[in-house]
Amino acid sequence: MNSLGIHLLLELKDCRIDLLDDLPFIQKTLINAAVSTGATIVGQTFHKFSPQGVTGVVAIAESHLSIHTWPEHGYAAADIFTCGASFNPREAAQIIIEKFECRDPSIVEVERGRLQQVAGVPQ
Amino acid sequence: MNSLGIHLLLELKDCRIDLLDDLPFIQKTLINAAVSTGATIVGQTFHKFSPQGVTGVVAIAESHLSIHTWPEHGYAAADIFTCGASFNPREAAQIIIEKFECRDPSIVEVERGRLQQVAGVPQ
């Protein structure tokens, strides 16, 4: 692999709506997805919006997990950005998909920081 | 626009290396990029790694800004995820590019939560 990081963009459609507005559940799910798949948490911030919706980010030694929910659309956008081999982002993605009882998930995988494109800096 | 959010993926190559390891500078830059372009901050977390590298996330009412830096490669991966019209993500991206004195930036723009693809939930 020539990239510094792997970034998974999760489009989580048709989720269980009540879960998308449940901050404690969302916080627990993201933290469990991180820790149980080998990540080391270094920070976190979660926020509940009025009348609905939750934003949450877990900073990990391997980069971050984030989620933004729209309960009114049954939808959440989650991101898993990882570097290094100690953390399995695809396993974390499956945990998040299952926990939100998502019936229409899709994942786009993006390579970040491709080394051969890093200009002007010794490799 | 039919999507709930716009997600900018910034590949910041050939940045000024010392800035990529300066946590106070990185924190100030992300917060200024958010606030000066209309975002409302609801949380933040920053972490300095040893021997080098910084991870930072600013949660905003409009979603989030994040950055992960690799000073050893002169590279940073930044994300600006926004929903709604009150915050201008492209303007925030330009601020970040300029502040890091990035000489080889690229931006990929991704639509998140396209409504016509949200299944099973009334619009």
Side-chain angles (χ1 to χ4, degrees):
Chain A
M1 187 178 73
N2 295 313
S3 59
L4 292 172
I6 294 290
H7 188 167
L8 305 185
L9 287 72
L10 282 66
E11 292 285 295
L12 306 178
K13 297 164 188 168
D14 204 2
C15 295
R16 214 181 96 187
I17 289 176
D18 60 312
L19 299 178
L20 296 175
D21 208 30
D22 184 340
L23 189 150
F25 169 83
I26 293 170
Q27 186 172 25
K28 183 180 173 188
T29 298
L30 253 66
I31 288 173
N32 282 351
V35 173
S36 68
T37 55
T40 302
I41 293 174
V42 297
Q44 57 177 289
T45 179
F46 285 81
H47 185 82
K48 172 89 170 69
F49 295 99
S50 178
Q52 58 193 355
V54 172
T55 272
V57 183
V58 177
I60 57 177
E62 300 80 9
S63 292
H64 78 262
L65 294 84
S66 69
I67 192 164
H68 306 290
T69 74
W70 281 262
E72 67 272 36
H73 295 298
Y75 168 80
D79 287 74
I80 304 175
F81 188 144
T82 184
C83 56
S86 61
F87 168 61
N88 187 334
R90 297 170 193 88
E91 196 179 325
Q94 286 308 314
I95 290 172
I96 291 170
I97 288 167
E98 287 169 17
K99 287 291 182 184
F100 283 99
E101 302 181 21
C102 178
R103 289 175 289 184
D104 184 11
S106 63
I107 301 176
V108 173
E109 188 166 321
V110 180
E111 287 186 307
R112 303 293 296 266
R114 287 186 64 83
L115 285 180
Q116 63 268 38
Q117 296 172 1
V118 177
V121 181
Q123 302 294 314
Chain B
M1 188 179 72
N2 295 313
S3 58
L4 292 172
I6 294 291
H7 187 166
L8 304 186
L9 287 71
L10 282 66
E11 292 285 294
L12 306 178
K13 296 165 188 167
D14 204 2
C15 296
R16 213 181 96 186
I17 289 176
D18 61 311
L19 298 178
L20 296 176
D21 209 30
D22 184 341
L23 190 150
F25 170 83
I26 293 170
Q27 186 172 24
K28 183 180 172 188
T29 298
L30 254 66
I31 288 173
N32 282 352
V35 172
S36 69
T37 54
T40 302
I41 293 173
V42 298
Q44 57 177 289
T45 179
F46 285 82
H47 186 80
K48 171 89 171 66
F49 294 99
S50 177
Q52 57 193 357
V54 172
T55 273
V57 183
V58 177
I60 56 178
E62 300 79 9
S63 292
H64 77 262
L65 293 85
S66 69
I67 192 164
H68 306 290
T69 73
W70 282 262
E72 67 273 33
H73 295 298
Y75 168 79
D79 288 74
I80 304 175
F81 189 145
T82 184
C83 56
S86 61
F87 168 61
N88 186 335
R90 296 170 194 88
E91 195 181 326
Q94 286 308 314
I95 290 172
I96 292 170
I97 288 167
E98 287 170 17
K99 287 290 182 185
F100 283 98
E101 301 182 19
C102 178
R103 288 174 292 184
D104 184 11
S106 62
I107 302 176
V108 173
E109 187 167 321
V110 181
E111 286 187 308
R112 304 294 297 265
R114 287 187 64 84
L115 286 180
Q116 63 267 38
Q117 296 172 0
V118 178
V121 181
Q123 303 295 315

